[in-house]
Amino acid sequence: MRFSRSAFAIWCTAVVLAACGGSGERAENEILIAAIFDLTGPTADVGVDYADAVQGHIEWLNGRGGIDGRPIRLIYQDYGYQVPLAEQLYTQFVQEGALVFMGWGTGDTEALRPRIMEDRIPFSSASLSHVLGDAHESPYNFLVATSYSDQFRIVLRWIAQDHRAKEGDGNAQVAFMHNASPFGLSPWVQGGEDYAREIGVDVTPYAMSRGATDYTAEFSRITQSGARYVVFQNTSAPAAVALRNARSLGVDATFVCLNWCANALLWRLAGDDAEGVVGAIPWAPLTDDVPGVRDIRDYLESRGEDYSEKTNAYTQGWWTMGLFVEGIRRVLDAGQELTGENIKNAIESIDGLDTGGASPPLTFTPTDHRGSKGLRLFRAENGMWTAMTEFLTAP
């Protein structure tokens, strides 16, 4: 098999990371956190950066003395996006004493919700399914980035405004190309369909089958429908395939990526075909020089890594870990016992956590675990993501 340089780098990193997980004896004052990552499965194209960021934040923090002098220890394993394995690893790591759990996918996170609640384990994953931020339904789950549904609403509102500015009247026609999974359908079934109808935008979903290398049939139907906007809810690799396909077919549309394909990897895979794509980006790309990414950039440079090659999944993973560090620090500062329930309560007290412009300030309450309601829209220009709006809040 012949690998491109980027694919080979991802593969090498995945092998190294997968080999480093596991358990063993730990020091008495260590704080144990567990994680599952997708390093070899269908979303590994962005999963490797997210995993590296979670581990990187812990290494960076421990190099500064940990939390009140207590180091964090991370136990983790690649689960390849397999829900049964996620459930097995969750059980194993909780039995080993993990106080906090970092998950990944929508299907496995939703499947684990009842057990997370029963075990009282503060939990966050890369999944931004809207229901996971419902504190009544998911009292121990926390969303640290704008939910898929809120992302989709922001994009649909922008499309409606852009369509009116260009066409004047009539409903905007939108093709929603999504991963064929709960992750892909999440923004549509959890509020997106109703909101589109409410604002007069006509949306047609198109499933992107796993591993597809050609979307000619889908784009033929999209062209016949008259859609002038195509929104991707998928990771970078399949979105890049679709973009190359659409450009070669001469599809006349504005392309929009929700967060998992609006990243640096899209450029590497799609090349010039990514030019002009609009990205809904909850966490700043590392090329966006705001205070909230400078520690990350310094850390990566200290390891001899080029931050411009990282996706914004790295920013999201770093700050997701950072939120739980803040919760743990508040428990320790209050002199309380370090338990899952106390960490949960501490996170629910966070009001306007400043992320240095990497995202809107994060706020959690006992009734709302969706910490961020906004994002900026960026445009792909000359190999970079350029901000085209200020932070937009979901309606």
Side-chain angles (χ1 to χ4, degrees):
M1 183 179 293
R2 295 170 62 190
F3 286 77
S4 68
R5 287 185 179 181
S6 59
F8 182 74
I10 289 172
W11 177 82
C12 288
T13 305
V15 170
V16 171
L17 289 173
C20 293
S23 56
E25 294 185 8
R26 67 182 190 272
E28 185 177 346
N29 69 335
E30 281 184 330
I31 300 167
L32 192 64
I33 293 178
I36 54 172
F37 300 128
D38 184 12
L39 306 177
T40 56
T43 59
D45 52 345
V46 289
V48 169
D49 271 359
Y50 188 92
D52 193 28
V54 170
Q55 294 170 90
H57 188 106
I58 291 172
E59 181 182 1
W60 173 83
L61 182 70
N62 285 342
R64 286 156 177 74
I67 307 175
D68 291 352
R70 295 183 62 176
I72 292 179
R73 183 172 179 218
L74 182 71
I75 54 174
Y76 64 91
Q77 189 166 318
D78 172 24
Y79 82 115
Y81 213 83
Q82 301 175 56
V83 173
L85 182 54
E87 294 177 304
Q88 175 187 327
L89 291 170
Y90 171 82
T91 299
Q92 175 186 330
F93 291 158
V94 169
Q95 287 175 348
E96 290 182 23
L99 289 171
V100 168
F101 204 101
M102 310 291 284
W104 176 253
T106 298
D108 38 275
T109 303
E110 291 184 350
L112 285 169
R113 273 195 305 149
R115 295 169 64 185
I116 294 164
M117 182 166 49
E118 181 180 348
D119 295 332
R120 300 184 180 185
I121 300 292
F123 191 107
S124 186
S125 74
S127 170
L128 303 176
S129 174
H130 200 71
V131 70
L132 297 176
D134 184 332
H136 182 70
E137 295 286 335
S138 310
Y140 279 81
N141 288 75
F142 293 88
L143 289 191
V144 190
T146 317
S147 76
Y148 298 137
S149 298
D150 282 347
Q151 290 182 41
F152 197 35
R153 290 188 186 101
I154 290 169
V155 164
L156 289 175
R157 183 174 58 187
W158 175 82
I159 286 173
Q161 294 167 349
D162 188 65
H163 173 76
R164 283 197 299 270
K166 292 176 179 176
E167 306 295 335
D169 55 12
N171 287 0
Q173 302 295 316
V174 179
F176 177 55
M177 297 188 73
H178 63 88
N179 187 289
S181 68
F183 148 63
L185 277 171
S186 174
W188 176 246
V189 300
Q190 295 180 20
E193 182 177 11
D194 293 337
Y195 183 67
R197 188 181 303 113
E198 178 186 328
I199 64 173
V201 175
D202 296 334
V203 182
T204 303
Y206 297 85
M208 301 173 73
S209 57
R210 185 172 295 177
T213 58
D214 184 89
Y215 295 102
T216 298
E218 288 81 357
F219 282 120
S220 176
R221 287 186 288 148
I222 288 169
T223 300
Q224 290 173 5
S225 75
R228 301 301 297 273
Y229 299 86
V230 178
V231 178
F232 294 114
Q233 165 66 345
N234 214 323
T235 60
S236 309
V241 171
L243 281 171
R244 292 196 304 269
N245 203 195
R247 304 298 195 195
S248 68
L249 294 168
V251 176
D252 182 16
T254 298
F255 295 92
V256 183
C257 269
L258 301 189
N259 74 300
W260 287 116
C261 62
N263 53 42
L265 182 58
L266 189 72
W267 277 106
R268 295 203 295 274
L269 297 176
D272 291 342
D273 291 331
E275 187 74 22
V277 171
V278 174
I281 302 183
W283 286 97
L286 293 179
T287 52
D288 188 28
D289 190 19
V290 295
V293 303
R294 288 174 192 156
D295 281 340
I296 306 175
R297 285 158 58 148
D298 290 345
Y299 168 75
L300 288 169
E301 287 177 342
S302 74
R303 294 191 351 183
E305 297 187 50
D306 183 355
Y307 63 79
S308 68
E309 292 293 309
K310 300 292 185 181
T311 67
N312 23 305
Y314 203 102
T315 315
Q316 183 175 330
W318 182 281
W319 274 100
T320 300
M321 189 68 253
L323 173 75
F324 286 91
V325 167
E326 177 65 20
I328 292 168
R329 179 178 287 115
R330 291 186 180 210
V331 172
L332 294 178
D333 287 350
Q336 298 175 329
E337 182 183 358
L338 202 55
T339 65
E341 186 169 7
N342 284 342
I343 295 170
K344 166 187 174 289
N345 293 338
I347 294 174
E348 289 175 342
S349 73
I350 292 174
D351 183 8
L353 180 66
D354 183 9
T355 65
S359 78
L362 301 178
T363 295
F364 298 87
T365 72
T367 58
D368 187 359
H369 286 184
R370 300 181 189 105
S372 172
K373 306 296 194 300
L375 52 76
R376 287 179 291 169
L377 294 180
F378 287 69
R379 192 183 304 278
E381 296 177 345
N382 301 316
M384 292 186 63
W385 290 98
T386 303
M388 53 185 282
T389 71
E390 298 298 322
F391 283 109
L392 304 175
T393 302

